[in-house]
Amino acid sequence: MAPKPEPTVMEKIVSLCKRRGFVFQSSEIYGGLNSCWDYGPLGVELKRNVKDAWWRAVVQERDDVVGLDAAILMHPKVWEASGHLANFTDPLVDCKQCKLRHRADHMPGFDATKGLPPGTKCPNCGGELTEIRKFNLMFKTFMGAVEDSAATVYLRPETAQGIFVNFVNVQQATRKKLPFGIAQIGKAFRNEITPGNFTFRTREFEQMEIEYFVEPGTDEEWHRRWKADRMQWYLDLGMRKDRLQFREHGKDELAHYAKGCADIEYQFPFGWSELEGIANRTDFDLKQHTQYSGVQLTLFDEATKTHTVPYVIEPSAGADRSTLAFLVDAYDEEKDGDETRVLLRFHPRLAPIKVAVLPLVKKEGMPEKAMTIAKALRAAGITTGYDEGSAIGRRYRRFDEIGTPFAVTIDGDTLKDDTVTLRLRDTMEQTRVPAATIVDTIRERMNRMPR
Amino acid sequence: MAPKPEPTVMEKIVSLCKRRGFVFQSSEIYGGLNSCWDYGPLGVELKRNVKDAWWRAVVQERDDVVGLDAAILMHPKVWEASGHLANFTDPLVDCKQCKLRHRADHMPGFDATKGLPPGTKCPNCGGELTEIRKFNLMFKTFMGAVEDSAATVYLRPETAQGIFVNFVNVQQATRKKLPFGIAQIGKAFRNEITPGNFTFRTREFEQMEIEYFVEPGTDEEWHRRWKADRMQWYLDLGMRKDRLQFREHGKDELAHYAKGCADIEYQFPFGWSELEGIANRTDFDLKQHTQYSGVQLTLFDEATKTHTVPYVIEPSAGADRSTLAFLVDAYDEEKDGDETRVLLRFHPRLAPIKVAVLPLVKKEGMPEKAMTIAKALRAAGITTGYDEGSAIGRRYRRFDEIGTPFAVTIDGDTLKDDTVTLRLRDTMEQTRVPAATIVDTIRERMNRMPR
């Protein structure tokens, strides 16, 4: 029998994610639901930390950006105005013989205006193909009591439109002047034909979007600034510089209204892939909604008595993609004697559990002392794990594997001199520190990291 | 002409919410979408704070509860097993004459088994009514490329089932033993016929649910404990005790599988209404999913070599309802000379903006000094507003009205002796404190509050 091939890095990460409770297949006991994933106890903390770091950086630490949380269900006119109802489609063909369905735009020779070259056959069976049909990627549902008489509404395919339609309400409530931005985190849904790569491309996903409104003419400068700011965010949270790059969109890729767009890409094991797009959307969206709603989405300038339609810079990031990238980036294996130490080198701000509190043995009052320390850490808002289960080396490894940056061990000496061992995940360095100052010590060490 | 009636408290709150940016009508520029609401810049911070306080209390400060974030789209079998597909219905009748639709169970004389009394007429026009039809409250949509061949899936009507189907995955990843709980915050959707009361009853809403798994026989004790714990949470965040009550469900209200249920109710201006239900669901859910999936949702006891199906205590709270209750509870009006001071007496942990930084005048270096202080507060993770716009008294009132507990004013003396005025929202008391210690002063005063 041939030897079983070594698992790939991605396979190891997916396996770790299930085993330790980062990510489970959704509805797994029923065979799963294609491309839907659930975040387990560690995954939910990791993703919360990613989203909180983003919110803090783009909203709470800035004076020029405010938050918003718009509903997933929106008035159907929104999608007429935005162009999604007419244009948010994939071109599909069916094979008349084997019945398989294909994305025409993924087949050789496809041209957006001319379609497929004459004579193109099914890549699976060589059978004849149907004409290309446009398939809208929005999920639709029905609001109201009876399907036929009810309003057809859509699950939003992006959070951005919730920001545009609230532009006047937000500006009037906050009295902000240009330039200012509105940021939002929320779920969006796309009925993708070919989801895949674990949590990278899914039908249900979470976005972190900013619409930053600027004076026309200053848009290119602000586009440059946001590109730099957003790249810096990933670096500040410890992502490796050599696995990040910008990719400028070519003219043929740009939407007709966009002046420019750059993606921030991460080098996943499955290739360079987009984490975030930063686009100059001009005044397209506000003008469209003004036209479709009849409500002026403009800013009035008291000095010149003129109405301005701002230009918009849109940094649009994926929360699930960033979370996956931070996970992949943190994954590391180290030879340690005959064994391999698997660890997640998360930035402390992203680590799901910051501190492990471990009694050396399960007796002599050590568990009680350990639980007192764990309680003090938790009361200080520091997520803390407690484990009294097995040999201390094994427990260290378990916490290394889930990316816990600090371990505090309570031993015989603790009961004599009230000191504990502080062990660092990355270097395995151990130092002795007073138990009474452990909260401050951890806080100080977390703040010592960049950001 | 008759004088315009005084606005009700609820009308005042709804108006304040729009004007200051707590809550906007969703898709308002298109005439709104019935019962959908968007959280504005202050509302999103308030709701984040409510959710964070819940997460911290029930997950991060406890050793016996872990988090989860399951997808909104789940396998359709889940809703067969849970009973939602067959039973999550409202009984509706239509009037054959005026075409209005009514909830039969809201009409006089309705009986769940017998229906409406013979001869019941339309309450609107007296016309003849149709037979009662069962209307399922789940929103349905279609996943996959073509509507007719695609899988019909549902937007989850509750987050709870995401916890039950992940029971084994979570238990194995965390190695938790009974009793332990799984907590989740997330959106759910119900196609209600009669939504209303602002954000209280909406078709799209967010839940904060815990499923707490216990040994059968200990369930009643744990039910009591959770009722007490959850009530204490609202009190700890400053909600008025005399506006909170328990309401025990009568035998006729209970689901057939439930052993007991108590609601925590808040006295809204529109009456006592449910914030949270705390139910003893027995082993119903795990048994149902075991039966439908064929996967044993049990815990194996090494000592007795037996499989236990745990009982479940479910504290299920509404994030939007709690947020609304905290808002209503905080609303206050005070006579101040000839004027009325409107303020929101939020607990500092819930206040959307913790500190207002205000230069007394817009010159003599005061704005620059104020911005330095604002920056230091923000860097410390304290949400901070900055306003240099109008007379100082007017600015204080603006921040009182959005519930900002602290104001820091920079004046002429600040530039001489580096002290600032610290003003408290609730008492309007002013004290002089060193500018250099303002971060610590604010932190210390926030911690002085309960929890």
Side-chain angles (χ1 to χ4, degrees):
Chain A
M1 227 172 76
K4 210 172 153 188
E6 268 290 294
T8 65
V9 171
M10 208 54 213
E11 283 166 350
K12 287 180 192 175
I13 290 171
V14 172
S15 159
L16 189 159
C17 279
K18 177 173 178 183
R19 186 163 37 84
R20 300 305 308 275
F22 282 92
V23 178
F24 305 127
Q25 193 186 15
S26 182
S27 306
E28 190 185 278
I29 62 171
Y30 291 105
L33 189 64
N34 190 8
S35 106
C36 279
W37 301 93
D38 295 347
Y39 289 90
L42 296 175
V44 62
E45 299 291 346
L46 174 63
K47 190 176 166 189
R48 277 174 66 85
N49 292 340
V50 170
K51 291 191 289 182
D52 283 353
W54 185 87
W55 192 261
R56 188 164 160 182
V58 310
V59 179
Q60 294 179 336
E61 289 186 0
R62 297 180 70 119
D63 202 37
D64 59 345
V65 179
V66 297
L68 183 77
D69 183 11
I72 290 170
L73 300 174
M74 301 181 72
H75 196 288
K77 271 259 178 189
V78 171
W79 311 113
E80 276 184 50
S82 69
H84 282 84
L85 213 47
N87 304 321
F88 193 57
T89 57
D90 274 347
L92 297 187
V93 289
D94 290 310
C95 173
K96 292 179 181 174
Q97 193 166 302
C98 74
K99 308 294 179 195
L100 267 192
R101 178 162 294 141
H102 308 279
R103 283 271 298 262
D105 54 337
H106 288 177
M107 293 169 73
F110 176 81
D111 178 289
T113 45
K114 293 182 207 151
L116 289 167
T120 302
K121 297 291 182 191
C122 173
N124 179 52
C125 75
E128 203 186 327
L129 296 172
T130 62
E131 290 295 295
I132 293 176
R133 286 174 310 109
K134 281 188 181 178
F135 170 67
N136 198 297
L137 296 179
M138 289 196 290
F139 281 96
K140 77 171 168 197
T141 186
F142 312 98
M143 182 180 274
V146 184
E147 217 165 285
D148 51 9
S149 72
T152 297
V153 293
Y154 301 90
L155 306 191
R156 65 179 174 198
E158 61 175 34
T159 61
Q161 300 301 325
I163 296 177
F164 295 126
V165 301
N166 278 298
F167 172 74
V168 169
N169 269 341
V170 171
Q171 193 280 327
Q172 287 178 350
T174 61
R175 307 184 303 168
K176 292 280 178 203
K177 292 181 174 57
L178 296 182
F180 78 94
I182 305 175
Q184 178 168 226
I185 298 177
K187 286 272 174 99
F189 298 81
R190 295 179 187 178
N191 202 352
E192 303 271 359
I193 302 308
T194 49
N197 284 330
F198 199 32
T199 57
F200 182 80
R201 186 181 301 279
T202 55
R203 291 185 172 132
E204 173 179 342
F205 56 100
E206 200 157 8
Q207 293 188 304
M208 308 189 290
E209 294 199 307
I210 305 162
E211 307 299 330
Y212 195 79
F213 302 95
V214 305
E215 286 284 352
T218 67
D219 49 305
E220 297 192 3
E221 170 58 18
W222 277 109
H223 195 197
R224 271 192 294 277
R225 283 213 217 176
W226 274 108
K227 278 165 57 181
D229 270 18
R230 293 301 307 140
M231 179 62 95
Q232 194 57 44
W233 183 79
Y234 295 96
L235 295 170
D236 285 345
L237 289 168
M239 209 176 268
R240 295 179 222 191
K241 198 167 184 174
D242 59 342
R243 290 200 190 162
L244 283 164
Q245 71 178 17
F246 279 113
R247 190 181 71 77
E248 294 288 337
H249 284 215
K251 288 267 174 240
D252 55 326
E253 281 179 278
L254 286 179
H256 64 89
Y257 51 82
K259 259 177 92 172
C261 186
D263 289 346
I264 295 177
E265 294 189 332
Y266 180 77
Q267 191 176 24
F268 285 98
F270 46 81
W272 286 99
S273 307
E274 179 194 348
L275 295 183
E276 171 158 357
I278 301 148
N280 180 344
R281 297 181 65 100
T282 71
D283 54 8
F284 175 76
D285 304 276
L286 292 178
K287 279 191 168 162
Q288 285 291 109
H289 286 296
T290 295
Q291 187 191 325
Y292 277 77
S293 70
V295 177
Q296 286 285 327
L297 304 185
T298 54
L299 272 181
F300 185 67
D301 186 320
E302 280 295 340
T304 61
K305 304 284 175 205
T306 53
H307 287 273
T308 303
V309 185
Y311 267 41
V312 176
I313 307 302
E314 176 189 83
S316 170
D320 305 278
R321 290 177 174 195
S322 311
T323 302
L324 181 61
F326 282 116
L327 194 60
V328 165
D329 204 64
Y331 185 84
D332 202 5
E333 296 175 5
E334 238 177 35
K335 280 277 161 237
D336 182 25
D338 287 349
E339 295 186 16
T340 301
R341 184 166 85 111
V342 171
L343 71 166
L344 292 173
R345 296 188 186 274
F346 288 129
H347 188 286
R349 279 191 56 190
L350 298 184
I353 297 176
K354 314 298 186 202
V355 190
V357 178
L358 313 169
L360 185 64
V361 291
K362 214 163 140 180
K363 54 187 179 186
E364 294 163 24
M366 290 181 209
E368 292 73 14
K369 178 70 182 173
M371 278 189 262
T372 307
I373 291 174
K375 201 174 166 189
L377 286 161
R378 285 181 185 141
I382 298 167
T383 52
T384 300
Y386 174 83
D387 190 356
E388 54 179 33
S390 52
I392 191 72
R394 210 179 137 93
R395 278 181 280 164
Y396 284 147
R397 291 304 163 81
R398 286 183 56 82
F399 279 101
D400 289 344
E401 199 188 37
I402 63 170
T404 302
F406 308 104
V408 172
T409 307
I410 288 80
D411 58 21
D413 286 347
T414 309
L415 307 175
K416 287 181 221 146
D417 64 6
D418 208 39
T419 63
V420 294
T421 298
L422 178 67
R423 175 187 180 271
L424 306 182
R425 171 198 68 201
D426 292 340
T427 57
M428 296 191 277
E429 180 197 332
Q430 302 194 3
T431 51
R432 204 75 198 170
V433 301
T437 64
I438 197 69
V439 169
D440 290 337
T441 305
I442 299 282
R443 268 212 188 114
E444 189 266 326
R445 282 190 178 257
M446 284 185 61
N447 286 336
R448 209 191 286 174
M449 312 283 179
R451 283 184 72 92
Chain B
M1 229 172 71
K4 211 172 152 188
E6 267 291 294
T8 64
V9 171
M10 208 53 214
E11 283 165 350
K12 287 181 192 175
I13 290 172
V14 172
S15 159
L16 188 158
C17 279
K18 175 171 179 184
R19 186 163 38 82
R20 300 306 307 276
F22 281 93
V23 178
F24 305 126
Q25 193 186 15
S26 181
S27 306
E28 189 185 281
I29 63 171
Y30 292 106
L33 188 63
N34 190 8
S35 106
C36 280
W37 301 93
D38 295 347
Y39 289 90
L42 296 176
V44 62
E45 299 290 348
L46 174 63
K47 190 177 167 190
R48 277 174 66 86
N49 292 341
V50 170
K51 291 191 288 182
D52 283 353
W54 185 86
W55 191 261
R56 189 165 160 180
V58 309
V59 179
Q60 294 179 335
E61 290 187 359
R62 298 180 70 117
D63 201 37
D64 59 344
V65 179
V66 297
L68 184 77
D69 184 11
I72 290 170
L73 300 174
M74 302 181 72
H75 196 289
K77 271 259 178 187
V78 171
W79 311 114
E80 276 183 50
S82 70
H84 283 84
L85 212 48
N87 304 321
F88 194 56
T89 58
D90 273 347
L92 298 188
V93 289
D94 290 310
C95 173
K96 292 179 182 175
Q97 193 166 303
C98 74
K99 307 296 181 192
L100 266 194
R101 176 162 296 140
H102 309 280
R103 283 271 297 263
D105 54 336
H106 288 179
M107 292 169 73
F110 176 82
D111 178 289
T113 44
K114 293 182 209 151
L116 288 167
T120 301
K121 298 291 184 191
C122 171
N124 179 53
C125 75
E128 204 186 329
L129 297 172
T130 60
E131 290 295 295
I132 293 176
R133 285 175 312 107
K134 280 187 182 179
F135 170 67
N136 198 297
L137 296 179
M138 289 196 292
F139 281 94
K140 77 171 167 197
T141 186
F142 311 97
M143 181 181 274
V146 183
E147 215 165 287
D148 50 11
S149 73
T152 297
V153 293
Y154 301 90
L155 307 190
R156 65 179 174 198
E158 62 176 32
T159 60
Q161 300 302 325
I163 296 178
F164 294 125
V165 301
N166 278 296
F167 172 74
V168 168
N169 270 341
V170 171
Q171 193 279 326
Q172 287 178 352
T174 60
R175 307 185 303 169
K176 291 281 178 202
K177 292 180 174 59
L178 297 182
F180 78 94
I182 305 175
Q184 178 168 228
I185 298 177
K187 287 271 174 100
F189 298 81
R190 295 178 186 178
N191 202 352
E192 303 271 1
I193 301 310
T194 49
N197 284 329
F198 198 32
T199 57
F200 183 79
R201 186 181 299 279
T202 55
R203 291 186 172 130
E204 172 180 342
F205 57 101
E206 200 157 9
Q207 293 189 304
M208 308 188 290
E209 294 199 306
I210 305 162
E211 306 300 328
Y212 195 79
F213 302 96
V214 304
E215 286 284 351
T218 66
D219 50 303
E220 295 192 6
E221 170 58 19
W222 277 109
H223 194 197
R224 271 192 295 276
R225 283 212 218 175
W226 274 107
K227 279 164 58 181
D229 270 19
R230 293 301 308 140
M231 178 62 93
Q232 193 58 44
W233 182 79
Y234 295 97
L235 296 170
D236 285 346
L237 289 169
M239 209 176 267
R240 295 178 222 191
K241 198 168 184 172
D242 60 342
R243 290 198 190 164
L244 283 164
Q245 71 179 18
F246 279 113
R247 190 182 70 78
E248 295 289 338
H249 284 215
K251 287 266 174 242
D252 55 325
E253 279 180 278
L254 286 179
H256 65 89
Y257 51 82
K259 257 176 94 171
C261 186
D263 288 348
I264 295 177
E265 295 190 331
Y266 179 79
Q267 191 175 27
F268 285 98
F270 46 82
W272 286 98
S273 307
E274 179 195 349
L275 294 183
E276 171 159 358
I278 301 149
N280 180 345
R281 297 180 66 99
T282 71
D283 54 8
F284 174 77
D285 305 276
L286 292 179
K287 279 191 169 163
Q288 285 292 109
H289 286 297
T290 295
Q291 186 191 325
Y292 277 77
S293 70
V295 177
Q296 286 284 328
L297 304 185
T298 55
L299 271 182
F300 185 67
D301 186 321
E302 280 295 340
T304 61
K305 304 286 175 202
T306 54
H307 287 273
T308 303
V309 185
Y311 267 42
V312 176
I313 307 301
E314 177 189 82
S316 169
D320 305 279
R321 290 177 175 195
S322 310
T323 302
L324 182 60
F326 282 115
L327 195 59
V328 165
D329 203 64
Y331 185 85
D332 202 5
E333 296 177 4
E334 238 178 36
K335 280 278 161 235
D336 182 27
D338 288 348
E339 293 186 19
T340 301
R341 183 168 85 112
V342 172
L343 72 165
L344 292 174
R345 296 188 187 274
F346 288 128
H347 188 286
R349 280 193 54 192
L350 298 184
I353 296 176
K354 315 295 186 202
V355 190
V357 178
L358 313 169
L360 185 64
V361 291
K362 214 163 140 181
K363 55 187 179 188
E364 293 163 24
M366 291 181 207
E368 292 74 14
K369 178 70 183 171
M371 277 188 262
T372 307
I373 291 174
K375 202 175 167 189
L377 286 161
R378 285 181 184 139
I382 298 168
T383 52
T384 300
Y386 174 84
D387 189 357
E388 55 178 36
S390 53
I392 190 73
R394 208 179 141 91
R395 278 181 279 163
Y396 283 146
R397 292 304 163 82
R398 285 183 57 82
F399 279 101
D400 288 344
E401 198 187 37
I402 62 169
T404 302
F406 308 105
V408 171
T409 308
I410 288 79
D411 58 22
D413 286 346
T414 309
L415 307 175
K416 285 181 222 146
D417 64 7
D418 208 38
T419 62
V420 295
T421 299
L422 178 67
R423 175 187 180 271
L424 306 183
R425 171 198 69 200
D426 291 340
T427 58
M428 297 190 277
E429 180 196 331
Q430 302 193 4
T431 50
R432 204 76 197 168
V433 300
T437 63
I438 198 69
V439 170
D440 290 336
T441 304
I442 299 282
R443 269 213 189 114
E444 189 267 326
R445 284 189 177 258
M446 284 185 62
N447 286 336
R448 206 190 289 172
M449 310 285 179
R451 284 183 72 90

